[in-house]
């Protein structure tokens, strides 16, 4: 039987700004449509942030999530993954609220603090419609706080919800942090580990970086984890191809990259999922359905989302 590969689509995020791409979903309807289209293209999981529908600023209030969660749940069987990362400028209490309210099958969880920088994008993007966008991108003083206390707070806040986690690891130290929480019994296998490459402040996007993160995870977790990768910007599809060939799963989406090919911006999240699916199937593998992803990750089921 062919190995199944989980494709996650992160449809909007908190990094890119509306002036960068007309394809970036901003309003609840746009986010819902993007998630449904991505699922129809082959994404088993949709990873969701919310935005202010007028300005496009990240919005982590539970009320901002409700309109598109209802639509997505009605229109697709995809696994819903809610961010607890929000934006680097938010408190951990703000960031965890949507997952605490809606109790999704999966919530993302950053596994360590790090410098975080968007300023490199100013080399390409020069014109902005909203005042907040330039300030957001120019900031070189961002420390994305994810202390042991913060991580433990999220784990304990969601402990009784049945929500499992996508553990986002931007460096090898984050893998060791996760190993600590496994030793303490605060997380349980199978661990869904998303190794992140190419973001300013995190590990690089060289093939050796991918190999090093994979080797470290293998040594720390053995058969207790499910591996996935996220390549930022132009690294998205090359790293997806490498990981799929190495036995991993992949994440794409406009949260992580606005591009479909060198010099060509993606027209939609669904286009990126389609490109990822071609890679998977070109390797003789199959994409996982949402229910197959639920089985692989030991999830509680889509009917448990509280919207």
């Amino acid at each position: 039987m062919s190995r199944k590969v989980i494709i996650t689509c992160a449809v909007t995020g908190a990094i890119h700004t509306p002036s960068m791409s007309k394809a970036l979903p901003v309003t609840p309807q746009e986010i819902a449509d993007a998630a449904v289209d991505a699922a129809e293209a082959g994404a088993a999981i949709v990873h969701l942030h919310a935005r202010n529908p007028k300005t496009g600023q990240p919005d982590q209030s539970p009320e901002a999530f409700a309109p598109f969660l209802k639509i997505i749940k009605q229109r697709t069987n995809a696994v819903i993954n809610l961010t607890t990362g929000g934006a680097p400028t938010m408190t951990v209490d703000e960031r965890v609220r949507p997952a605490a309210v809606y109790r999704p099958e999966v919530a993302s969880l950053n596994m360590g603090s790090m410098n975080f920088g968007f300023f490199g994008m100013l080399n390409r993007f020069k014109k902005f419609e909203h005042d907040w966008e330039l300030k957001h991108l120019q900031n070189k003083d961002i420390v994305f706080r994810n202390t042991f206390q913060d991580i433990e707070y999220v784990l304990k806040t969601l402990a009784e919800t049945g929500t499992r986690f996508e553990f986002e690891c931007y460096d090898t130290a984050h893998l060791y942090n996760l190993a600590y929480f496994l030793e303490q019994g605060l997380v349980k296998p199978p661990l869904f580990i998303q190794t992140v490459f190419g973001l300013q402040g995190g590990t690089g996007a060289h093939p050796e970086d991918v190999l090093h993160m994979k080797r470290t995870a293998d040594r720390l977790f053995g058969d207790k984890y499910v591996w996935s990768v996220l390549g930022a910007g132009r690294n998205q599809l090359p790293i997806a191809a490498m990981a799929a060939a190495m036995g991993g799963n992949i994440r794409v989406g406009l949260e992580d990259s606005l591009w479909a090919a060198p010099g060509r911006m993606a027209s939609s999240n669904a286009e990126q999922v389609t490109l990822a699916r071609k890679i998977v199937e070109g390797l003789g593998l199959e994409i996982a359905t949402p229910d197959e992803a639920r089985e692989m990750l030991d999830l509680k089921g889509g009917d448990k989302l509280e919207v």
Side-chain angles (χ1 to χ4, degrees):
M1 182 179 294
S2 177
R3 179 170 65 84
K4 304 285 186 175
V5 177
I6 298 170
I7 297 177
T8 296
C9 185
V11 303
T12 189
I15 295 176
H16 296 118
T17 72
S19 298
M20 292 179 175
S21 171
K22 293 181 179 178
L24 187 71
V26 170
T27 68
Q29 189 64 56
E30 290 169 348
I31 293 170
D33 288 342
V36 172
D37 290 347
E40 290 177 349
I45 301 174
V46 289
H47 173 66
L48 302 170
H49 289 241
R51 290 179 180 261
N52 180 301
K54 293 183 179 179
T55 66
Q57 285 181 282
D59 184 345
Q60 199 67 3
S61 65
E63 295 78 15
F65 284 74
F68 58 77
L69 287 180
K70 291 178 181 178
I71 297 172
I72 295 167
K73 185 176 179 181
Q74 290 169 353
R75 293 175 55 191
T76 179
N77 185 40
V79 175
I80 289 177
N81 172 344
L82 295 188
T83 180
T84 71
T89 53
M90 297 174 180
T91 67
V92 67
D93 184 62
E94 290 177 288
R95 288 156 42 193
V96 77
R97 285 176 193 165
V101 170
Y102 299 116
R103 303 182 169 216
E105 291 184 83
V106 180
S108 67
L109 179 55
N110 296 336
M111 291 310 298
S113 300
M114 59 184 290
N115 292 331
F116 218 69
F118 314 131
F119 47 85
M121 297 181 192
L122 292 172
N123 295 326
R124 181 179 294 272
F125 299 99
K126 307 292 185 182
K127 296 180 181 180
F128 301 99
E129 180 181 349
H130 306 286
D131 290 341
W132 74 271
E133 295 177 273
L134 184 58
K135 295 176 182 177
H136 167 78
L137 295 169
Q138 285 178 326
N139 192 349
K140 294 184 178 181
D141 195 33
I142 299 174
V143 175
F144 197 174
R145 175 188 160 122
N146 296 283
T147 64
F148 285 104
Q149 177 175 285
D150 293 340
I151 295 167
E152 187 171 319
Y153 176 76
V154 174
L155 291 172
K156 289 185 175 180
T157 297
L158 300 182
E160 303 303 320
T161 66
T163 295
R164 292 183 64 81
F165 294 93
E166 170 208 353
F167 296 105
E168 296 197 2
C169 296
Y170 296 76
D171 212 335
T172 50
H174 297 182
L175 294 170
Y176 280 93
N177 292 348
L178 178 56
Y180 163 78
F181 285 104
L182 179 62
E183 291 168 2
Q184 296 301 307
L186 290 175
V187 300
K188 63 178 182 178
L191 306 171
F192 184 30
I193 299 179
Q194 189 78 251
T195 50
V196 183
F197 302 94
L199 277 171
Q200 189 75 42
T203 198
H206 192 278
E208 287 295 334
D209 295 314
V210 180
L211 290 169
H212 179 57
M213 291 286 276
K214 178 64 164 59
R215 286 193 294 261
T216 303
D218 284 346
R219 178 163 44 80
L220 291 175
F221 306 111
D223 62 357
K224 296 179 180 179
Y225 83 106
V226 176
W227 181 46
S228 184
V229 299
L230 181 173
R234 66 188 180 197
N235 306 299
Q236 185 175 84
L237 293 176
I239 284 181
M242 183 177 179
M246 292 171 59
N249 303 281
I250 53 184
R251 172 171 140 173
V252 295
L254 294 176
E255 171 175 351
D256 306 327
S257 174
L258 297 176
W259 305 95
R264 183 171 70 82
M265 299 186 84
S267 61
S268 66
N269 283 280
E271 181 184 14
Q272 292 182 332
V273 173
T274 298
L275 292 170
R277 181 172 185 165
K278 288 180 179 178
I279 290 170
V280 170
E281 294 176 342
L283 291 169
L285 306 172
E286 297 180 21
I287 61 166
T289 67
D291 285 337
E292 288 168 337
R294 289 182 174 100
E295 183 176 356
M296 293 165 67
L297 300 176
D298 192 24
L299 304 182
K300 63 182 180 179
D303 59 326
K304 304 298 192 298
L305 182 72
E306 297 192 5
V307 292

